[in-house]
Amino acid sequence: MELRNLELFLHLADSLHFARTADAMAVSPSTLSRAIQRLEQEVGCPLFERDNRTVQLTPAGDRLREFGRHLLDDWQTLRHELRHVGEPLQGRLRVYCSVTASYFLLPDILGRFRARYPQLEIKLETGDPALAVDKVLSDEAELAIAARPDALPGKLHFISLQRVPLVFIAPKSASPLGRWLHDDEPNWEQLPVILSEQGLARKRCDQWFRNKGISPNLYAEVAGNEAIVSMVALGCGVGVVPEAVIDHSPMGDKVRILEVRPALKPFDVGLCVQKRRLDEPMIRAFWETAQLRN
């Protein structure tokens, strides 16, 4: 059994999506299909049930997933134990975070990390913060800066780096929205609202409106907090973003924070990793470096 084929299988076993796994593991769909076929030939039975729409693990595939995870973990541990003690860590770590986090949290961690481990390479991917936890769970990134979910998946370890308020924002300059904002309580049925299309900010905002018995006038659902700030600055509506996004946005001086009661629950922003991978030397090195920041 080739370890690379096993790595491809394990990613596919979690993603259950051939195209997504091929993209994340940097192989062509045909290469991925051949790797799975070779594994199925070696074990002598199908590992996946697939049709035009879905991919599911067979009972044999589920058993191989558990076996394969332990095998790869043991191999990684053995490989690093056999390495000469004085040899510096080498390799590449994949880190995922939002654009804003890459401005206000990551530079300090990366500076310390590069000083301690100059031969380790960081592959940084930025994107929608709502995807951060899933990126780690699906092995598309070893580590991610993320807002701690209200229910942290059991597979993850999380360390807190900073508390970040979650706030409603409105245009700072005069706009047609003013007629719905002049009272102590905005007219939410009329006021256009711009929200994240998914993630923790959306969940907390939806719950806030439910608790107040309000059906908001949803104007737009947006992927990424930076785009929400821009749309609000242009007068399209009011939005909900972490306050740190305003502080680091080029449009931040064109919006203002709305005082609402009760305030939205703040984010606990930190670093997450799969528990089973925390003993890998490169990941452990980054994890410990991030903790030095506190």
Side-chain angles (χ1 to χ4, degrees):
M1 179 186 297
E2 295 184 17
L3 290 180
R4 178 57 173 169
N5 290 346
L6 185 58
E7 289 174 342
L8 295 173
F9 163 77
L10 290 174
H11 192 287
L12 181 59
D14 287 331
S15 73
L16 297 177
H17 195 288
F18 272 80
R20 192 176 302 150
T21 289
D23 182 62
M25 301 297 286
V27 297
S28 68
S30 60
T31 297
L32 176 60
S33 294
R34 286 195 299 271
I36 300 303
Q37 289 170 3
R38 282 194 290 270
L39 273 178
E40 290 178 329
Q41 291 170 358
E42 290 175 350
V43 300
C45 59
L47 299 173
F48 295 95
E49 296 175 353
R50 42 197 182 269
D51 54 34
N52 291 333
R53 290 189 173 185
T54 62
V55 177
Q56 297 294 331
L57 276 173
T58 64
D62 192 54
R63 291 188 62 185
L64 180 61
R65 176 171 60 177
E66 293 306 310
F67 170 82
R69 282 176 174 168
H70 291 300
L71 178 63
L72 282 183
D73 289 345
D74 289 346
W75 163 243
Q76 292 288 349
T77 300
L78 177 61
R79 188 179 66 177
H80 292 300
E81 287 177 353
L82 294 176
R83 178 179 293 166
H84 190 273
V85 175
E87 184 179 345
L89 287 177
Q90 298 183 43
R92 183 178 70 174
L93 277 176
R94 296 167 298 168
V95 180
Y96 183 90
C97 68
S98 68
V99 173
T100 299
S102 72
Y103 294 152
F104 86 104
L105 279 177
L106 200 56
D108 181 55
I109 299 173
L110 285 183
R112 292 175 182 270
F113 187 74
R114 293 294 295 168
R116 299 177 76 190
Y117 307 101
Q119 297 191 50
L120 282 179
E121 176 189 351
I122 297 294
K123 180 182 179 183
L124 177 63
E125 179 184 357
T126 58
D128 186 350
L131 302 177
V133 169
D134 288 339
K135 289 284 186 178
V136 172
L137 289 174
S138 64
D139 283 321
E140 294 178 59
E142 278 80 39
L143 304 118
I145 294 178
R148 191 186 194 280
D150 292 327
L152 185 70
K155 295 180 179 180
L156 293 186
H157 265 313
F158 182 93
I159 53 169
S160 178
L161 298 175
Q162 187 168 326
R163 297 277 285 182
V164 178
L166 186 64
V167 295
F168 280 93
I169 57 174
K172 183 176 288 186
S173 60
S175 77
L177 302 178
R179 64 183 182 275
W180 299 309
L181 288 168
H182 64 279
D183 297 326
D184 290 339
E185 181 73 13
N187 185 343
W188 295 108
E189 271 74 17
Q190 299 295 325
L191 189 62
V193 178
I194 304 165
L195 301 178
S196 299
E197 62 182 5
Q198 59 184 334
L200 188 59
R202 179 60 183 269
K203 291 178 182 178
R204 290 191 176 169
C205 191
D206 287 346
Q207 186 62 53
W208 187 88
F209 281 121
R210 281 196 298 270
N211 291 344
K212 294 176 74 71
I214 294 170
S215 297
N217 175 22
L218 186 58
Y219 175 80
E221 298 175 291
V222 179
N225 292 310
E226 293 78 12
I228 294 178
V229 175
S230 296
M231 292 183 70
V232 171
L234 293 171
C236 298
V238 300
V240 174
V241 295
E243 189 172 346
V245 178
I246 307 169
D247 297 337
H248 295 85
S249 169
M251 305 291 282
D253 60 347
K254 295 178 173 57
V255 302
R256 61 186 177 91
I257 295 176
L258 288 177
E259 298 295 333
V260 298
R261 297 185 183 87
L264 291 162
K265 184 179 178 181
F267 277 176
D268 183 7
V269 179
L271 192 67
C272 64
V273 65
Q274 289 198 53
K275 291 177 180 178
R276 67 181 179 85
R277 304 198 63 183
L278 195 51
D279 288 333
E280 296 177 26
M282 288 191 299
I283 295 175
R284 171 63 67 176
F286 194 94
W287 187 261
E288 292 176 348
T289 302
Q291 289 179 299
L292 292 175
R293 186 181 186 279
N294 295 338

